[in-house]
Amino acid sequence: MYYELYVDVLFLINMCMNFFILSIVGKILRCTATYLRIILICAISSMLTIVIIMLPLQGVLIKYTLIFGVNVISTKTALKLKDGISILKAVILLYIMTFLFGGILNFLTYAKKINAEQVLLAGLLLFILARGAIKIDRFYKRTSGKVCEVTISLNDRRLRLKGLMDTGNSLVDPVSRQPVNIVPFEVIKELLTDKEAICIENFLEYKAEDIEMEELGELYYIPYSSVGRKNGLLPAIKVEELCIVYGGSVIEVARPMIGICQNEFVSDKRYQIILNPKLVD
């Protein structure tokens, strides 16, 4: 008994499905990988998978082990994952999505007798539906405007705050386009080193002659407009991590941007940090 294998068809379907699934996994985990990076890695992993399938290896277990290794490495590389927990989460999601995609497409293939082109079209439709579901879910969370629990990590210290996911906060770094969150100086001061605190305080109080930039490290300037000030600059730093408990889920953001304002910008005592809604996009 033998099967006819069309390598070009197998490669195309495998690459496209891997791209669809990895893109969804990346969106769920909020990875920063681009579509170009993902599709290039998917093309390489698909070629390796076909080579493994065609190798005259004894035992199915060996082939499945090699294919699993390719999937783990391609997931880590495509989504730019670094720590073991993130890789484990991504691989688990990868196989869950593969099971769901495979079940639906196998049903369509054998029950509805669809061809390769229709399989690709069905996979694309599933991808669009999944992405749409993720966007709707995050839009709902973003617009709910709930106060949430926030933990900021900096200089080996942690600060627990109440945060507001504010749809009115659209601040982004003009260079990296990274979303900016806003914290009063007096709130975050305890996480800063003495030199950082002095430099930022001098900047906020317009004491330019007292600012020693070389001692501050990474300081960013975020343009903003507000009532009474059309062309302001907000000093900002990157902290080690921002952990947000929001909408029943935990969101961990590495190296987020924190804009530091004067105390009068935050008058509501229910929260101490204004979060950018793009964090949950």
Side-chain angles (χ1 to χ4, degrees), residues 33-222:
T34 62
Y35 283 149
L36 179 60
R37 179 188 180 91
I38 294 174
I39 200 166
L40 287 175
I41 298 299
C42 287
I44 295 170
S45 66
S46 296
M47 286 189 288
L48 291 174
T49 300
I50 291 173
V51 170
I52 292 169
I53 291 173
M54 298 181 68
L55 284 175
L57 298 173
Q58 296 298 322
V60 177
L61 183 60
I62 297 175
K63 288 191 176 184
Y64 275 117
T65 303
L66 290 174
I67 291 173
F68 176 77
V70 169
N71 288 337
V72 172
I73 294 171
S74 62
T75 300
K76 175 184 181 299
T77 307
L79 302 182
K80 299 195 291 187
L81 303 174
K82 295 181 180 179
D83 61 282
I85 298 298
S86 297
I87 295 170
L88 179 62
K89 288 179 181 178
V91 172
I92 291 173
L93 280 172
L94 174 75
Y95 278 94
I96 291 173
M97 296 304 302
T98 300
F99 175 78
L100 294 174
F101 264 63
I104 295 171
L105 293 177
N106 278 335
F107 169 77
L108 293 174
T109 301
Y110 294 105
K112 302 299 181 181
K113 306 296 182 182
I114 63 175
N115 56 32
E117 290 83 0
Q118 291 169 325
V119 168
L120 290 175
L121 186 60
L124 177 61
L125 181 60
L126 287 174
F127 169 69
I128 293 171
L129 290 174
R131 284 295 308 274
I134 294 170
K135 281 185 175 291
I136 291 171
D137 177 66
R138 289 181 179 169
F139 177 79
Y140 171 77
K141 290 178 180 178
R142 187 178 67 185
T143 55
S144 59
K146 292 180 180 178
V147 175
C148 50
E149 299 287 338
V150 179
T151 303
I152 302 175
S153 300
L154 180 65
N155 296 327
D156 296 323
R157 284 174 281 183
R158 286 184 172 86
L159 178 64
R160 296 183 183 277
L161 306 171
K162 294 288 185 179
L164 177 70
M165 195 67 68
D166 185 8
T167 55
N169 177 16
S170 58
L171 283 180
V172 294
D173 177 36
V175 178
S176 66
R177 309 305 299 171
Q178 188 175 356
V180 179
N181 310 283
I182 306 171
V183 182
F185 174 70
E186 289 299 327
V187 172
I188 201 172
K189 184 178 179 180
E190 64 182 84
L191 293 184
L192 304 173
T193 64
D194 291 339
K195 291 179 180 178
E196 288 173 337
I198 291 170
C199 289
I200 292 174
E201 187 174 24
N202 287 335
F203 182 88
L204 290 171
E205 294 179 357
Y206 305 104
K207 296 179 180 179
E209 67 279 1
D210 296 328
I211 299 176
E212 299 180 19
M213 297 301 298
E214 68 278 1
E215 295 181 352
L216 181 58
E218 290 187 333
L219 179 64
Y220 301 83
Y221 301 96
I222 311 300

Side-chain angles (χ1 to χ4, degrees), residues 160-163 182-184 187 266 269-274:
R160 296 183 183 277
L161 306 171
K162 294 288 185 179
I182 306 171
V183 182
V187 172
V266 179
K269 300 300 181 183
R270 293 178 303 160
Y271 55 88
Q272 298 84 43
I273 176 172
I274 298 176

